Amino acid sequence: CACGCASVDFRHLRPGQLPGLVADASGETATGERVSVLVFASEGQFTGLEIVSYTDDPASLPIPSTIRV
């Protein structure tokens, strides 16, 4: 997205094509911020990874070992 966060789109969707949520987890960044990690897919392919911050600052990627489903 355009907010400056660490979210990534892996592929563009066709008009009207909606991705589904396939994983919802939480983790912690190197600065100690709690973030949500959402994985989306459509037609059997990953379409995006969204990192959600609960502060006014853009979220960075969480430390992999802190991610919990």
Side-chain angles (χ1 to χ4, degrees):
C1 74
C3 76
C5 67
S7 296
V8 177
D9 288 325
F10 297 124
R11 69 182 190 115
H12 293 285
L13 300 174
R14 296 183 307 277
Q17 183 182 11
L18 298 175
L21 181 65
V22 295
D24 183 353
S26 63
E28 189 174 302
T29 68
T31 61
E33 179 185 0
R34 299 293 300 168
V35 295
S36 287
V37 180
L38 308 174
V39 180
F40 294 91
S42 180
E43 298 176 354
Q45 296 184 350
F46 291 115
T47 59
L49 171 69
E50 187 170 345
I51 308 300
V52 180
S53 172
Y54 297 99
T55 68
D56 291 334
D57 298 322
S60 59
L61 290 172
I63 300 167
S65 63
T66 68
I67 297 174
R68 301 286 183 258
V69 183

